[in-house]
Each structure stands twice: as C-alpha cells, then as structure tokens.
Amino acid sequence: MGPRRTHRGTPRTPRRTRHLRGEKKYRDAAAHAGRAGDDSSCCNLLGQISRVLADLGHYDEALAFADRALQLADTRAHPAVRCWLHAVRAHHQARLADHASARSDLDAAWHLFSRAEDGEKPPYISYLSEAELNKWTGHTAVALAETDRTALHTGRQALEAALTAWPSPMVRGSAAVLTASARMSIAHHNLDQAQNLIDQAISIAAATSSTRNLQAALHTRAIILAKA
C-alpha cells in the first residue's frame, strides 16, 4: 500500500485531522479494491491518497504514492486512470523541482487522454476531460514557473482553456481552476487580475462548502495581499 507515517510531534490542526481521516478512508478503500482485483479502482484511490498528502505539503510522500499507483496500474488500469495519475504525478514532480520528470509525466498524460474515451471509462473517473487535464497542466506549470519562467506561457494557455471549457455542473472544481489562474497571474505580476480571480474562487468555495478549495484560495489571497 505504500509508505506509512507516524506524525509524532506534529500538532494535529482541524485541517490536518480532516486530511488524515480522509487518507485513512482512501487507504481502506484501496485495500478492499486491491483484494477484489479491481486494479483501476485501487490505483485511483492510491492517487487520491497522493492528492491528500500533496494538500498537506508532503510532496515526497505524495510522489511515492503516485509512483506506487502507476507501478500497479502498468497497463492493467484503465487509460483514464493512468492519464490522471500521470497528471497528478507531474504536479508533485514540479513541486519537487524535477522539471524533466514533470514534463515527461504531462506528455504521458496527454498521450493516454486520447485513449480515455473508449466506452469503458469507470464512473469514478468520469470527470476526466480536456478541461480537467488542462487544469493539472496549469497546476504543474504554476509550480514549474517558480524556478523556470518558460513554463508561464504553457500554463497560462492551459488555464485559460480550462476556464473556457470547464463543465458548468462541476462548480467546486472551478474554484481550483480560478485559484491556479490567480497564481499564474501573480507570476505574471498582474495582481489586479489575480485579485479578481481569487475573489471568484473564494466565493465559489464558500458557497459550495469546499474546505480544501477555500483554504487554497485564502492562502493565495494572502500572497496577493503581501505583494500589493
């Protein structure tokens, strides 16, 4: 199942406690899926654990789970699941400043996306779309841009495409795209645009009771205020 952690000596804030509970639920579900022989579901759930760890800033451990998921996925998991896992791992690689691996994972994700709509895509990955993949491309580019300004153009294009094509029923997810777009605007030194985008993200996250998206948006707003 991958690495286990003890968290000794680390204060358990309400946010951290929620994330740890979520991680445990994903672990349990992944174990059940593995025993049932459902490789796609198991790998998807390991990827969700990876996302939880990344939310907490544990990128090394998040990467380890993404690696484990893709090792298990190999060619057995559905292309949509493998596509999403590569996109998630690209983000973690970027956060760890491994530019070459991040770009390689993005290439793999887009390659697999062309095979995702085969009529057998599992319902739990039904949200995977070109807009979703552009969102992850943007997330990755934002992280890469911290040390590589050449990622700015790619990231901006991807996030603009994601915002334009974002499915209207997926309201919560739009907050994540807006927050990533705000961070991209910060990188472009356009604080007015960043403020406008993050105001929208906060409004959506609050209205949809999305704690994770609200925390990310508030953190980004703090960055904007510090630079103003």
Side-chain angles (χ1 to χ4, degrees):
M1 287 295 297
R4 291 187 176 272
R5 301 168 293 118
T6 60
H7 305 288
R8 290 175 183 167
T10 304
R12 290 196 176 189
T13 62
R15 174 174 180 259
R16 188 179 189 84
T17 299
R18 282 194 301 271
H19 278 73
L20 292 175
R21 286 173 180 166
E23 180 190 338
K24 183 181 184 303
K25 289 180 180 179
Y26 281 131
R27 279 182 181 273
D28 292 344
H32 286 303
R35 286 193 290 270
D38 189 340
D39 294 326
S40 288
S41 179
C42 181
C43 293
N44 176 66
L45 290 161
L46 291 175
Q48 297 296 344
I49 296 172
S50 179
R51 283 199 64 183
V52 171
L53 290 168
D55 285 345
L56 288 170
H58 301 318
Y59 296 115
D60 283 321
E61 293 171 82
L63 180 60
F65 268 97
D67 285 344
R68 178 59 176 154
L70 279 165
Q71 287 170 2
L72 287 174
D74 192 22
T75 58
R76 294 172 294 175
H78 190 275
V81 173
R82 287 184 281 138
C83 167
W84 179 76
L85 286 171
H86 275 291
V88 169
R89 188 168 70 172
H91 168 260
H92 303 342
Q93 302 277 22
R95 285 294 175 194
L96 293 167
D98 188 342
H99 293 203
S101 295
R103 290 188 170 92
S104 177
D105 270 314
L106 278 181
D107 288 344
W110 281 103
H111 173 72
L112 284 163
F113 180 69
S114 64
R115 299 163 49 196
E117 298 296 340
D118 61 354
E120 297 181 4
K121 187 164 71 171
Y124 49 77
I125 198 75
S126 61
Y127 60 85
L128 183 69
S129 64
E130 187 171 353
E132 174 74 11
L133 197 47
N134 269 317
K135 180 191 79 173
W136 280 103
T137 300
H139 277 315
T140 302
V142 167
L144 290 174
E146 292 179 4
T147 53
D148 181 2
R149 303 289 292 180
T150 63
L152 289 175
H153 179 67
T154 299
R156 189 168 195 165
Q157 282 190 320
L159 288 168
E160 286 176 353
L163 280 173
T164 299
W166 197 258
S168 56
M170 296 174 63
V171 180
R172 277 192 172 194
S174 64
V177 183
L178 287 163
T179 297
S181 298
R183 292 184 71 89
M184 183 59 69
S185 294
I186 294 171
H188 280 280
H189 308 293
N190 190 338
L191 296 185
D192 288 340
Q193 183 180 62
Q195 185 66 58
N196 177 54
L197 290 165
I198 211 61
D199 285 347
Q200 294 179 60
I202 290 171
S203 177
I204 292 170
T208 57
S209 301
S210 177
T211 302
R212 179 174 62 84
N213 284 328
L214 183 58
Q215 288 169 339
L218 290 173
H219 176 68
T220 300
R221 185 176 68 176
I223 294 172
I224 295 168
L225 292 174
K227 291 179 176 290

